[in-house]
Amino acid sequence: DTAVSQTPKYLVTQMGNDKSIKCEQNLGHDTMYWYKQDSKKFLKIMFSYNNKELIINETVPNRFSPKSPDKAHLNLHINSLELGDSAVYFCASSHLAGELFFGEGSRLTVL
Amino acid sequence: RKEVEQDPGPFNVPEGATVAFNCTYSNSASQSFFWYRQDCRKEPKLLMSVYSSGNEDGRFTAQLNRASQYISLLIRDSKLSDSATYLCVVNLNNNDMRFGAGTRLTVKP
């Protein structure tokens, strides 16, 4: 069983389109995250949710909208995609400030 | 000052060498600390948590210096398979988990 799973793994799309990435964790963790890793390989936190409540929104453009229907899911919807959105997006979860468990990443390419 | 600062390297070392990485953090109230390893085109994976008393796992030793606000990772007897990017992670406050820039290590025969 995959602990943190995210779909799709690869996404190629045109500028201006809207896309979503889904994430699910079966670890019973209370906190979930989205990170962006760009071409320079820096892992930058985007959002953090604790028990479905947004606790970190790290100056991400409004085009990015996270949604947490329950504490096991954190989805990321991106409107009006731009070239600079091309990156690998990692979902992660943790429990009580413990270690992060990552999904395999979703590689987004905007053409 | 960045919340978490880490020398990006690269570090190129021969097999058997000892190599050390450091990472500094800005928030003195930071609660937990970790070292992760990331292989090319893969997700980061936990290498070790860092405890106040320091901890060791085989060839790997992690230390925390709260007074100077840094954590370190020491790798002894480097293997080819240790080649990867090593990332420090600091829980600044309330599950705000921040990464350093990562240090690229290449171990050569």
Side-chain angles (χ1 to χ4, degrees):
Chain A
D1 276 350
T2 304
V4 182
S5 58
Q6 50 184 114
T7 56
K9 286 189 72 172
Y10 300 95
L11 199 50
V12 181
T13 189
Q14 300 285 334
M15 277 176 60
N17 284 350
D18 304 339
K19 290 294 177 188
S20 292
I21 308 171
K22 295 186 176 182
C23 181
E24 175 182 3
Q25 55 96 2
N26 62 8
L27 298 166
H29 288 167
D30 49 3
T31 308
M32 295 186 72
Y33 307 78
W34 278 109
Y35 285 86
K36 177 181 179 181
Q37 188 169 44
D38 59 24
S39 57
K40 294 181 181 176
K41 306 301 182 187
F42 181 59
L43 267 159
K44 184 173 169 54
I45 192 167
M46 300 174 69
F47 300 104
S48 170
Y49 270 73
N50 184 271
N51 283 318
K52 303 193 297 175
E53 184 181 335
L54 178 67
I55 54 174
I56 293 172
N57 180 342
E58 192 62 12
T59 60
V60 178
N62 290 339
R63 299 182 295 103
F64 290 78
S65 51
K67 291 227 172 16
S68 182
D70 55 63
K71 75 173 194 175
H73 295 84
L74 180 61
N75 304 323
L76 183 65
H77 187 75
I78 316 169
N79 289 327
S80 303
L81 278 156
E82 300 177 357
L83 293 176
D85 298 332
S86 295
V88 181
Y89 292 84
F90 285 102
C91 177
S93 71
S94 71
H95 183 62
L96 296 176
E99 66 175 281
L100 290 165
F101 289 77
F102 282 88
E104 292 183 327
S106 297
R107 183 172 295 274
L108 171 65
T109 303
V110 182
L111 303 174
Chain B
R1 185 182 172 189
K2 289 183 183 174
E3 294 100 350
V4 181
E5 295 213 54
Q6 183 178 3
D7 180 355
F11 282 57
N12 298 308
V13 303
E15 268 188 293
T18 295
V19 62
F21 307 133
N22 285 331
C23 187
T24 59
Y25 58 95
S26 60
N27 185 350
S28 59
S30 297
Q31 301 163 4
S32 49
F33 310 86
F34 308 90
W35 283 101
Y36 276 72
R37 170 189 170 133
Q38 186 174 26
D39 293 287
C40 191
R41 301 180 80 86
K42 296 282 192 181
E43 74 273 24
K45 292 191 175 173
L46 181 71
L47 181 65
M48 20 191 345
S49 302
V50 187
Y51 303 123
S52 297
S53 54
N55 46 306
E56 189 173 309
D57 182 3
R59 298 180 294 110
F60 299 84
T61 301
Q63 294 198 308
L64 165 64
N65 185 319
R66 283 196 184 271
S68 300
Q69 294 180 208
Y70 76 84
I71 62 172
S72 63
L73 177 68
L74 184 77
I75 306 176
R76 290 181 299 278
D77 189 22
S78 302
K79 310 289 185 196
L80 296 176
S81 57
D82 293 335
S83 297
T85 297
Y86 291 84
L87 300 148
C88 61
V89 183
V90 177
N91 183 356
L92 296 181
N93 188 33
N94 193 25
N95 289 320
D96 188 355
M97 302 282 264
R98 301 284 172 142
F99 280 76
T103 301
R104 175 80 195 142
L105 171 67
T106 302
V107 181
K108 299 189 173 180

